[in-house]
Every structure is written in C-alpha cells, then in structure tokens.
Amino acid sequence: MANIKVKNVPGTAGETPPYPYQDYSWLKYWEKKTGDTATFCARCGCLNLAKHGGHVQRCDNFFDSKIYIVPLCEECNNPNNKDVFEVDCKLCPVS
C-alpha cells in the first residue's frame, strides 16, 4: 500500500461514530470497518501505540474532501498540528 498524505481535521473531538457504531470509539470504528487491528500509529516514522481514531483529510487528491479515520497516537492526533504527514494504512471514510 502506498503512503497517503493527510492532515488532521480540527473540531472533531466531540463527534461520535455513525449508527450502528455510535457506542464505539473512533479507533474501534476503524477496526470494525477495515477488518484490521490498530496497534501502532499510522503516521509514517511514528512508533507509538495507536490510542485514537484520528479524523484526517487527504492532501494528495484535490477532489477528495471526505473526512477519514486512521489510527493515531496522542501526539499525532493533535488538532493543533497543521502539518501534512503520511500514513501507511487503510483510510476509513466517516459515513
């Protein structure tokens, strides 16, 4: 799988996953939807454990404005982080 350039989406901390996943964390939502297990942060070069399902948007596709969930550690899932970074995992659209 090729790395994908993304950035954090601010203002999503209070959101909950859509029905029927509303009782799950965003990280568990990502696992259920992708069929993968989130162990490590998906940010390339980060070796921290994944603690959150981070809301991100792609930066490598001008026509794709969807919001996606990816497994991130606390440090990488920071809404103040405006940096573009690469992830190596499946993107799970919020739908």
Side-chain angles (χ1 to χ4, degrees):
M1 173 183 306
N3 295 346
I4 302 167
K5 291 184 179 183
V6 299
K7 64 181 178 181
N8 282 306
V9 178
T12 58
E15 295 184 13
T16 57
Y19 180 84
Y21 303 97
Q22 70 273 13
D23 293 331
Y24 291 114
S25 68
W26 283 109
L27 188 60
K28 184 59 75 177
Y29 173 81
W30 181 88
E31 290 180 329
K32 292 285 188 186
K33 296 291 273 185
T34 64
D36 290 346
T37 300
T39 304
F40 294 102
C41 181
R43 183 177 183 157
C44 295
C46 183
L47 300 176
N48 295 330
L49 295 177
K51 300 278 186 178
H52 302 280
H55 291 73
V56 298
Q57 284 185 304
R58 291 184 72 156
C59 296
D60 59 357
N61 185 339
F62 179 76
F63 299 102
D64 186 353
S65 60
K66 294 182 211 152
I67 295 176
Y68 296 94
I69 302 298
V70 297
L72 295 175
C73 67
E74 285 189 43
E75 183 178 321
C76 294
N77 187 43
N78 184 338
N80 295 321
N81 179 2
K82 308 288 188 221
D83 297 337
V84 172
F85 57 95
E86 292 185 350
V87 294
D88 182 20
C89 70
K90 295 175 186 170
L91 298 181
C92 176
V94 176
S95 56

